[in-house]
Amino acid sequence: MIFSNLKINDNEQIYIQIKNYISDMISKGLLPDNSKLPSTRELSQILDVSRNSIVLAYEELKSDGLIYSISGKGTFASSKNSHSTTSWSIDWNIMENKYSKIANELDIIKSEVPWRSDLISFKSISPNGELFDMEELKKSFLNRISLEGHKLLNYGYAQGYKPLIDYLLTYMNKKSVDTSNKDILITNGFTEGLDIILSSFTNPGDYIICENPTHNTAIKIMKALGLNIIGVDINKNGLDFNMLEDKLKIHKNKIKFSYVTPSYHNPTGVVMSPENRYKFYNLMKKFNIAIIEDGFNEELLYSSSHIFPICSLDKSSNGVIYIGSFSKILFPGLRIGWILGDKNVVDRLESVKRCKNIHVSFLDQGILYDYLYNGGFEKYVKKIRKFYGDKFNFAMECVDKYIPTEYILGDGGLHIFLKLKNINTRELLNKCLEKKVIFMPGDIFYLDSKGYDTLRLGFSRLSFNDIEKGIKIIGESIKELVY
Amino acid sequence: MIFSNLKINDNEQIYIQIKNYISDMISKGLLPDNSKLPSTRELSQILDVSRNSIVLAYEELKSDGLIYSISGKGTFASSKNSHSTTSWSIDWNIMENKYSKIANELDIIKSEVPWRSDLISFKSISPNGELFDMEELKKSFLNRISLEGHKLLNYGYAQGYKPLIDYLLTYMNKKSVDTSNKDILITNGFTEGLDIILSSFTNPGDYIICENPTHNTAIKIMKALGLNIIGVDINKNGLDFNMLEDKLKIHKNKIKFSYVTPSYHNPTGVVMSPENRYKFYNLMKKFNIAIIEDGFNEELLYSSSHIFPICSLDKSSNGVIYIGSFSKILFPGLRIGWILGDKNVVDRLESVKRCKNIHVSFLDQGILYDYLYNGGFEKYVKKIRKFYGDKFNFAMECVDKYIPTEYILGDGGLHIFLKLKNINTRELLNKCLEKKVIFMPGDIFYLDSKGYDTLRLGFSRLSFNDIEKGIKIIGESIKELVY
């Protein structure tokens, strides 16, 4: 197009006109440094002039140093003649808003010790990739692509892929959830679920109540959105209901949401008892505080029988929004989670989802649906319960044996939480790092300074040998710090 | 777990204790309606009592109507005895914030005429799925899964899949972009790219300048984030630079961002000339207004030679953030786009991306990378240029022949934009709908009422026959409205 603006006239030799035009474009910056020019053949066609004229023009431009050729690659605008334009520097620090600043400050990946292959790392609580059913997944992909590939690869619906939504409604139904007035929105994992709910129904300064400690990503999202977070202790006795009731009375009518993880709570691994779920629900109902229930790793029960999620108590009410995710144990790389809530709530969230990023990958939703529908998940869960359950028990034994603690928390899941006896776990981490062992210091999960002597041990990706070796080193390091 | 709390004592018959315990749980709501009870065998193991006691307890509970059995399925808590608890109703209307309200109000899918199979619809500008290379895609999937399936299915990095990032840096390099001080963040399509940039670098009330009309999703995002939008007309002469300069002078030092789509602009289809790109860049630089460049359908050139994106003028400066996306023409269902910007900018956006939804599906990124790397995209683009180019020319001819317009816009792409002579296109749409033809009324793309007599015709998914038939009907309907 830049060349089609060149109108050849009869007053001057053609190759001169071409040469001058290109030279002019270069000096104006319209042919940026190192940008490719059309071949002599192409340009002769575009301008409808003889190829000879182009060759001549290019030769003169080359000898002027304005363009250069690389044999087999083409002809390019030279960078040597770049007129030294003043550069333009925007101060992005000033541009950046509070939301981004907090999201950056609390991005632990940028501050915590990174994983290295020579370390025994207890940091991760992501699943062990070696357990993934690759063959089942391949089957699901090929099956969906042949059945409805064109559909899955084109634009879909913000709410999600209908067969997956229906599957999940039935799935929640089996967990005793009355879904008659409920609906589901598919999200990019738990994280997007929480972000969408809070960014639709809160304003900066709003109050939210949650467990202390709690999932650090949730803390980051709540803080970045400017919420006032009220923490209620969770420890070896579970959630402190006296403290909860006190806080509810103090902040009466001010609290908009509660956020809880009743099963295999992150980081403590504690499971809320059925009685306490009932009690919690009724308290929130009494104070009219909407509940966001994090269904985190609910599937990972090793020894206990099924416990109903809090949202199953909500029946025809609209007080609970549940966030589910298979991605924590199944395929985190696919980033698929869901929000289950009142139809009216999900309808609004659907538009917000569309506004933020249209929808979750339909290909991934199709594959996941096929995999679930064909029983892949059930088979997988049976396998991993045994696999992770054995590791959980072993890690518990090792901690008992090697680490002096105030108490140990964990009813299952992929991690154990330790409270030490007045040992600063940041100092401990430095000591352990020297011995090539790392873990997640507990402070990142706390809303206050209470967690300074706590830590989380994720074991899902470690061998039995490394679990014992690593825990032993942590125990030894504690002794060194004490004496 | 709920059952393991039952401690059997010696003072009463075992089956009575079990019966009373279960009855108590049901009345407390701890065994929700229709929730499944353990089998008699399971419960006898959990409680370490004889199976007979369980059978007896279940029988009594059944005759009391508290539980019921379905043969082959199990035993469940009855719903008949559900104590009528008062239901809890949160007013989500009051909870909803302004952001969600605007995202809902401007969600055109909820208000526009939906697609039906009996309609000739010119609404869509999404690609024709029949052109997708399924076999190439399958190869890429199987290849990536066998090479690094475990990695792609587990948690990845917020910035994106490294091979894809490197591929795209080279790709942008070939478009004459100096990437030495630039980096790339992978996003869930263009939409998330724009949302992440604006939600990180603007506050409600900030000013942004853009073309009028422009992409309706961009308008929605800007309005939902509470921005003051200044529109500059784009029409048959391209962007109105006089108006632009006037607005820049009026709002001097107040405008933070500009948003432009220089190639195949949506909805007008206009391509900004190289000279005007240069002029635009220098104006923004002069007024220190950061540019967000929408690389929309840049690849879809039919007749013109390559035009450099505005970000290629930015070189060692940091004033332009470019948003690219293959998803508009390649695989929209995968939702993969990218942001190219100054390293420091991308570093901040990476943390915001992590805060919002961790990362884009690594499986999808892996598949797309493999597909691109193996030349699938180049082959595909050659094929679709011809396919869509032919349709574009044909649709242009039909419009010329059948529709009386003030002017027709479109230099390529998957759509044509029409300005009629004082015909309200909402009224026209109603008339056409009666004849089973629909299109996108232009008003949704405008920041003011100027677009009332405009419309966009997307033709990518229509046959030649339907294009002619539909355009003829639109033309006839206009005549009916005039006379």
Side-chain angles (χ1 to χ4, degrees):
Chain A
M1 180 161 280
I2 183 168
F3 290 100
S4 52
N5 287 337
L6 164 55
K7 306 284 173 242
I8 303 290
N9 60 51
D10 296 335
N11 309 329
E12 210 174 359
Q13 274 192 282
I14 293 175
Y15 86 93
I16 301 272
Q17 294 183 51
I18 297 169
K19 181 194 155 187
N20 289 345
Y21 183 80
I22 293 177
S23 156
D24 190 39
M25 291 298 106
I26 288 175
S27 71
K28 278 183 183 156
L30 293 177
L31 272 171
D33 298 349
N34 304 313
S35 63
K36 196 177 176 183
L37 276 71
S39 69
T40 51
R41 186 185 302 275
E42 284 164 351
L43 193 52
S44 78
Q45 281 165 358
I46 294 170
L47 300 178
D48 197 16
V49 300
S50 81
R51 202 169 150 208
N52 257 349
S53 306
I54 314 291
V55 172
L56 227 58
Y58 276 21
E59 285 310 313
E60 294 232 345
L61 288 164
K62 270 183 221 168
S63 60
D64 289 355
L66 289 171
I67 64 172
Y68 63 95
S69 290
I70 299 174
S71 122
K73 298 225 164 168
T75 304
F76 304 86
S78 174
S79 57
K80 288 172 215 135
N81 53 75
S82 185
H83 29 222
S84 62
T85 48
T86 52
S87 98
W88 172 23
S89 178
I90 286 183
D91 187 342
W92 288 98
N93 246 323
I94 292 177
M95 295 278 274
E96 193 183 20
N97 65 20
K98 219 172 148 184
Y99 174 79
S100 173
K101 280 193 205 300
I102 296 174
N104 273 273
E105 266 167 39
L106 300 182
D107 192 358
I108 56 165
I109 294 198
K110 289 186 173 169
S111 54
E112 295 297 327
V113 182
W115 180 85
R116 292 195 324 249
S117 61
D118 65 328
L119 298 177
I120 296 179
S121 171
F122 290 96
K123 272 179 67 184
S124 170
I125 57 167
S126 62
N128 193 316
E130 321 241 311
L131 298 174
F132 296 157
D133 293 331
M134 288 303 168
E135 290 311 312
E136 289 290 325
L137 186 85
K138 272 190 210 169
K139 264 191 231 160
S140 289
F141 170 84
L142 294 171
N143 193 29
R144 276 303 119 185
I145 282 290
S146 71
L147 281 173
E148 46 177 2
H150 299 146
K151 204 175 129 188
L152 293 177
L153 293 171
N154 221 317
Y155 280 111
Y157 305 96
Q159 195 191 345
Y161 175 60
K162 190 71 169 50
L164 180 62
I165 291 171
D166 289 343
Y167 181 92
L168 291 172
L169 282 168
T170 308
Y171 180 78
M172 293 306 290
N173 230 232
K174 286 191 192 143
K175 294 192 185 195
S176 323
V177 178
D178 177 354
T179 55
S180 53
N181 66 332
K182 303 283 194 291
D183 211 341
I184 277 179
L185 172 75
I186 306 293
T187 61
N188 285 74
F190 161 81
T191 307
E192 183 176 75
L194 186 62
D195 179 59
I196 283 189
I197 295 165
L198 293 179
S199 63
S200 301
F201 291 114
T202 70
N203 290 302
D206 279 351
Y207 285 76
I208 186 165
I209 196 161
C210 68
E211 293 138 331
N212 182 36
T214 191
H215 185 20
N216 59 304
T217 295
I219 295 178
K220 181 171 68 179
I221 292 171
M222 294 187 281
K223 285 194 174 169
L225 291 172
L227 302 184
N228 278 310
I229 313 173
I230 302 164
V232 179
D233 290 354
I234 180 166
N235 52 38
K236 60 181 187 293
N237 306 311
L239 189 66
D240 184 339
F241 272 85
N242 291 331
M243 190 172 182
L244 173 60
E245 291 185 49
D246 285 350
K247 300 243 166 153
L248 292 176
K249 276 169 205 155
I250 295 170
H251 300 284
K252 210 173 164 174
N253 298 328
K254 276 209 299 202
I255 305 173
K256 226 170 171 180
F257 276 107
S258 60
Y259 164 69
V260 275
T261 311
S263 296
Y264 310 107
H265 172 262
N266 184 8
T268 66
V270 166
V271 177
M272 196 188 276
S273 70
E275 293 80 357
N276 281 346
R277 289 174 190 224
Y278 194 66
K279 199 168 159 186
F280 184 81
Y281 177 79
N282 282 327
L283 264 172
M284 293 303 114
K285 184 173 167 181
K286 183 176 159 195
F287 285 89
N288 201 36
I289 297 170
I291 299 169
I292 300 172
E293 178 178 18
D294 181 351
F296 178 72
N297 281 0
E298 207 165 76
E299 280 69 24
L300 259 194
L301 62 171
Y302 300 145
S303 52
S304 58
S305 57
H306 167 67
I307 302 184
F308 55 87
I310 294 174
C311 65
S312 73
L313 303 172
D314 206 36
K315 298 186 205 288
S316 61
S317 299
N318 68 359
V320 185
I321 306 179
Y322 175 94
I323 308 175
S325 171
F326 289 128
S327 81
K328 291 284 171 15
I329 47 173
L330 190 55
F331 303 126
L334 293 191
R335 314 281 329 116
I336 298 186
W338 71 94
I339 291 170
L340 174 128
D342 184 72
K343 277 187 174 150
N344 178 33
V345 169
V346 169
D347 180 61
R348 286 157 206 243
L349 296 178
E350 182 198 349
S351 289
V352 171
K353 169 75 185 164
R354 194 177 280 115
C355 185
K356 282 178 188 277
N357 53 38
I358 318 272
H359 62 67
V360 173
S361 162
F362 258 54
L363 179 61
D364 292 356
Q365 292 187 64
I367 297 173
L368 182 65
Y369 163 70
D370 202 282
Y371 181 88
L372 293 169
Y373 182 77
N374 287 314
F377 184 61
E378 274 171 61
K379 266 194 278 175
Y380 173 74
V381 161
K382 268 182 207 155
K383 182 169 72 176
I384 64 164
R385 271 186 196 155
K386 166 90 179 92
F387 180 88
Y388 292 127
D390 289 349
K391 284 206 175 168
F392 174 78
N393 292 331
F394 182 71
M396 274 291 194
E397 280 168 33
C398 292
V399 168
D400 254 341
K401 191 166 160 191
Y402 298 114
I403 302 186
T405 60
E406 194 176 314
Y407 55 78
I408 307 167
L409 296 180
D411 293 329
L414 305 179
H415 62 274
I416 297 174
F417 190 73
L418 310 184
K419 184 169 169 66
L420 305 181
K421 294 169 183 157
N422 202 20
I423 299 284
N424 184 310
T425 48
R426 288 277 165 192
E427 285 171 29
L428 178 63
L429 180 60
N430 287 337
K431 243 192 167 25
C432 289
L433 182 57
E434 289 167 16
K435 297 168 190 166
K436 304 203 167 165
V437 173
I438 59 173
F439 54 78
M440 199 61 101
D443 56 8
I444 63 164
F445 304 103
Y446 278 84
L447 299 162
D448 48 27
S449 58
K450 276 178 201 148
Y452 80 98
D453 59 355
T454 63
L455 65 119
R456 188 186 73 183
L457 297 179
F459 50 77
S460 52
R461 295 170 106 166
L462 293 177
S463 67
F464 285 88
N465 259 348
D466 278 352
I467 290 176
E468 177 155 22
K469 193 174 157 197
I471 289 178
K472 209 169 155 185
I473 287 174
I474 296 172
E476 286 163 6
S477 305
I478 290 175
K479 277 167 207 150
E480 287 172 34
L481 279 177
V482 174
Y483 303 110
Chain B
M1 180 162 278
I2 183 169
F3 289 99
S4 51
N5 288 336
L6 165 53
K7 306 284 172 242
I8 303 290
N9 61 52
D10 295 335
N11 310 327
E12 211 174 0
Q13 274 191 283
I14 292 175
Y15 87 92
I16 302 272
Q17 293 182 51
I18 296 169
K19 180 195 157 188
N20 289 344
Y21 183 81
I22 293 176
S23 156
D24 190 40
M25 291 298 104
I26 288 175
S27 71
K28 279 185 181 154
L30 294 177
L31 273 171
D33 297 351
N34 303 313
S35 63
K36 195 177 178 183
L37 276 72
S39 70
T40 51
R41 186 186 302 274
E42 284 164 351
L43 193 51
S44 77
Q45 281 166 358
I46 293 171
L47 301 177
D48 197 16
V49 300
S50 80
R51 201 167 151 209
N52 258 349
S53 306
I54 314 290
V55 172
L56 226 60
Y58 276 21
E59 283 312 312
E60 294 231 344
L61 287 163
K62 269 182 221 168
S63 60
D64 290 355
L66 290 171
I67 65 172
Y68 64 95
S69 289
I70 300 174
S71 121
K73 297 227 164 167
T75 305
F76 305 85
S78 174
S79 58
K80 288 171 214 136
N81 51 75
S82 186
H83 28 222
S84 62
T85 49
T86 52
S87 97
W88 172 23
S89 178
I90 285 183
D91 188 341
W92 288 98
N93 245 323
I94 292 178
M95 294 278 274
E96 193 183 18
N97 64 22
K98 218 171 148 185
Y99 174 79
S100 173
K101 280 192 205 302
I102 296 173
N104 273 273
E105 266 167 39
L106 299 182
D107 192 359
I108 57 166
I109 293 198
K110 289 185 172 168
S111 55
E112 295 297 328
V113 182
W115 180 85
R116 293 193 326 248
S117 61
D118 65 328
L119 298 177
I120 296 179
S121 171
F122 290 96
K123 271 178 68 184
S124 170
I125 57 166
S126 61
N128 193 318
E130 322 241 310
L131 298 175
F132 296 156
D133 294 330
M134 288 303 169
E135 290 311 312
E136 289 289 325
L137 186 84
K138 272 190 211 169
K139 264 191 232 161
S140 289
F141 170 84
L142 294 171
N143 194 29
R144 276 302 119 185
I145 282 290
S146 71
L147 281 174
E148 46 177 1
H150 299 144
K151 203 175 131 188
L152 294 176
L153 293 170
N154 221 318
Y155 281 111
Y157 304 96
Q159 196 190 345
Y161 176 58
K162 190 72 170 48
L164 180 61
I165 291 172
D166 289 342
Y167 181 92
L168 291 172
L169 281 168
T170 307
Y171 180 78
M172 293 306 290
N173 230 231
K174 285 189 193 144
K175 293 192 185 193
S176 323
V177 178
D178 177 354
T179 54
S180 52
N181 66 333
K182 303 284 193 292
D183 212 341
I184 277 179
L185 173 75
I186 306 294
T187 61
N188 284 74
F190 160 80
T191 306
E192 183 177 74
L194 186 62
D195 179 59
I196 283 189
I197 295 166
L198 294 179
S199 63
S200 302
F201 291 115
T202 69
N203 291 302
D206 280 351
Y207 284 76
I208 186 166
I209 195 160
C210 68
E211 292 137 332
N212 183 35
T214 192
H215 185 19
N216 60 303
T217 294
I219 295 177
K220 180 171 68 177
I221 292 171
M222 294 187 281
K223 285 194 173 169
L225 291 173
L227 302 184
N228 278 311
I229 313 175
I230 302 164
V232 179
D233 289 355
I234 179 166
N235 52 39
K236 61 180 187 293
N237 306 312
L239 189 67
D240 184 338
F241 273 85
N242 291 331
M243 190 173 184
L244 174 59
E245 291 186 47
D246 285 350
K247 300 243 166 155
L248 291 177
K249 276 169 205 154
I250 295 169
H251 300 285
K252 207 174 167 175
N253 298 328
K254 275 209 299 201
I255 305 172
K256 226 171 170 178
F257 276 106
S258 60
Y259 164 68
V260 275
T261 311
S263 295
Y264 309 109
H265 172 263
N266 185 7
T268 66
V270 166
V271 176
M272 195 188 277
S273 70
E275 293 80 358
N276 280 345
R277 289 175 191 224
Y278 194 67
K279 197 167 159 188
F280 184 81
Y281 177 79
N282 283 327
L283 264 172
M284 292 304 115
K285 183 174 167 181
K286 182 176 159 195
F287 285 88
N288 201 36
I289 297 170
I291 299 169
I292 300 172
E293 178 178 17
D294 183 350
F296 180 71
N297 281 358
E298 206 166 76
E299 281 69 25
L300 260 193
L301 62 171
Y302 299 146
S303 51
S304 58
S305 58
H306 167 66
I307 302 185
F308 56 87
I310 293 175
C311 65
S312 72
L313 302 173
D314 206 36
K315 300 187 206 278
S316 61
S317 299
N318 68 0
V320 185
I321 306 179
Y322 174 94
I323 309 176
S325 172
F326 289 129
S327 82
K328 292 285 171 12
I329 46 173
L330 189 55
F331 303 126
L334 293 192
R335 313 284 324 117
I336 297 186
W338 70 94
I339 290 170
L340 175 127
D342 183 73
K343 275 185 175 152
N344 178 32
V345 169
V346 169
D347 180 61
R348 285 156 206 245
L349 296 178
E350 182 198 350
S351 288
V352 171
K353 170 74 184 164
R354 195 177 280 116
C355 185
K356 282 178 188 277
N357 53 38
I358 317 272
H359 62 67
V360 172
S361 164
F362 257 55
L363 178 62
D364 291 356
Q365 292 187 63
I367 297 173
L368 182 64
Y369 163 71
D370 202 283
Y371 181 88
L372 293 169
Y373 182 77
N374 288 314
F377 184 61
E378 273 171 62
K379 266 194 277 175
Y380 173 74
V381 162
K382 267 183 206 154
K383 182 168 73 177
I384 64 165
R385 270 186 197 155
K386 166 90 178 91
F387 180 88
Y388 292 127
D390 289 349
K391 285 206 173 166
F392 175 78
N393 292 330
F394 182 70
M396 275 292 197
E397 280 169 33
C398 291
V399 169
D400 254 342
K401 190 165 162 191
Y402 297 113
I403 303 186
T405 59
E406 194 177 313
Y407 56 78
I408 307 168
L409 295 180
D411 293 329
L414 305 180
H415 62 274
I416 296 174
F417 191 73
L418 310 185
K419 182 166 171 69
L420 305 181
K421 294 170 184 156
N422 202 21
I423 299 283
N424 184 310
T425 48
R426 288 278 164 191
E427 285 171 28
L428 178 62
L429 180 59
N430 287 337
K431 240 188 169 31
C432 288
L433 182 57
E434 288 167 16
K435 297 168 189 164
K436 305 206 165 163
V437 172
I438 58 174
F439 53 79
M440 199 61 100
D443 56 8
I444 64 162
F445 304 103
Y446 278 83
L447 298 162
D448 49 28
S449 58
K450 277 178 202 147
Y452 80 97
D453 60 355
T454 63
L455 65 117
R456 189 186 71 183
L457 297 179
F459 50 78
S460 52
R461 296 169 105 167
L462 293 176
S463 67
F464 285 88
N465 259 348
D466 278 354
I467 290 175
E468 177 155 24
K469 193 173 158 198
I471 288 176
K472 209 168 156 185
I473 287 174
I474 296 171
E476 287 163 5
S477 305
I478 291 173
K479 277 167 208 149
E480 288 171 33
L481 278 176
V482 173
Y483 304 110

